[in-house]
Structure formats: structure tokens, C-alpha cells
Amino acid sequence: MRAMERIGILVGVFAFTMAVIYWAWTASTVIGVEWVGVIGLILAGLLGFMIAWYLWMTRRKLDQDPSDDPLGDIDEIQGDYGFFSPHSWQPLFLGASAAVCFLGLAVGWWLFIIGAFFAIPALVGWTFEYWKGPNAL
């Protein structure tokens, strides 16, 4: 986890350095400073520092992470990564309706509405897929 912290800090420092260089470069032109790029690089730097801060806070609360042990094996990082539904069709329907929605942004709002019409039941079906009993959908 320490290596990931350092990568976050490196991304933050790099983005802030590039923001200063980009600001100086665009300030020397006739048009003036191009603020969208400068603000985007500053936000990227803040994102890198935010990731490093989160990993640092997480590392402080936990025991030593197996990835920090130079003599550790890869199988020490095994564990439960979450529950994934093995036979669910809902993600396919949700992905297809999201594709129709995004296509609707380019083609027309009528297609977006059709995609949203199919996306809402797919999202509800995926969310409540494992509800059992009298209150099931």
C-alpha cells in the first residue's frame, strides 16, 4: 500500500508541476492563459493527493498489508473480494439500455427516453434480485 501512496503523491506533484508549466506557457501567448487546462491539471493533482491521503489513512488503521512485505508471497493477499451474482442477466440488460441512452444523447432525446424506459426496470431488477419472501418484487 505504501507503493500506491507514493504513486498518488507522484501523480499529484507531476500534475501541479505541469499546471505551473502550462500556465506559464499559455500566459506567454497573445490569447492569454488557457484556464481550462490549468484548472484540469490542478484538479488532477488534487485527485492524486486525495488518493494518497486515503491510502495513508487506511494503512494507519490496518495491520501490515501483505503487499508491503518484501518477502511476502502473492497468495497472502487472497480473500473475499465481494459477492458477484453468477447467473444474472440484469447487468446485460442494464448495459444495453445504458448504451441506448448514450446513443440517445447523440441522436435524439426520444432515443434517450426509450433507453431510460428500459434502464429503470433493469436497475431495479438487479438491485432487488435476491429479495425473497412476501415483500419480493
Side-chain angles (χ1 to χ4, degrees):
M1 198 172 288
R2 288 179 193 256
M4 292 184 284
E5 283 177 43
R6 292 181 183 142
I7 290 172
I9 292 171
L10 183 69
V11 166
V13 169
F14 176 77
F16 277 134
T17 305
M18 288 296 112
V20 170
I21 292 171
Y22 190 75
W23 174 81
W25 191 308
T26 59
S28 65
T29 62
V30 177
I31 300 171
V33 178
E34 195 270 314
W35 288 106
V36 174
V38 174
I39 292 172
L41 285 167
I42 289 172
L43 290 175
L46 289 174
L47 178 66
F49 285 131
M50 183 180 67
I51 290 170
W53 176 79
Y54 170 76
L55 291 172
W56 174 69
M57 291 295 287
T58 304
R59 183 177 53 87
R60 279 187 4 174
K61 294 176 186 175
L62 300 176
D63 295 334
Q64 183 176 2
D65 190 49
S67 64
D68 291 334
D69 186 13
L71 301 176
D73 291 329
I74 192 69
D75 62 344
E76 293 176 2
I77 306 177
Q78 64 189 357
D80 189 18
Y81 289 105
F83 175 73
F84 301 100
S85 186
H87 302 291
S88 176
W89 284 89
Q90 300 296 336
L92 177 68
F93 298 139
L94 188 61
S97 57
V100 171
C101 284
F102 283 116
L103 183 64
L105 293 176
V107 173
W109 286 104
W110 59 272
L111 191 58
F112 180 85
I113 293 170
I114 292 172
F117 180 76
F118 287 110
I120 292 170
L123 181 63
V124 170
W126 195 16
T127 303
F128 299 112
E129 188 171 27
Y130 285 99
W131 277 31
K132 304 287 184 211
N135 296 327
L137 294 177

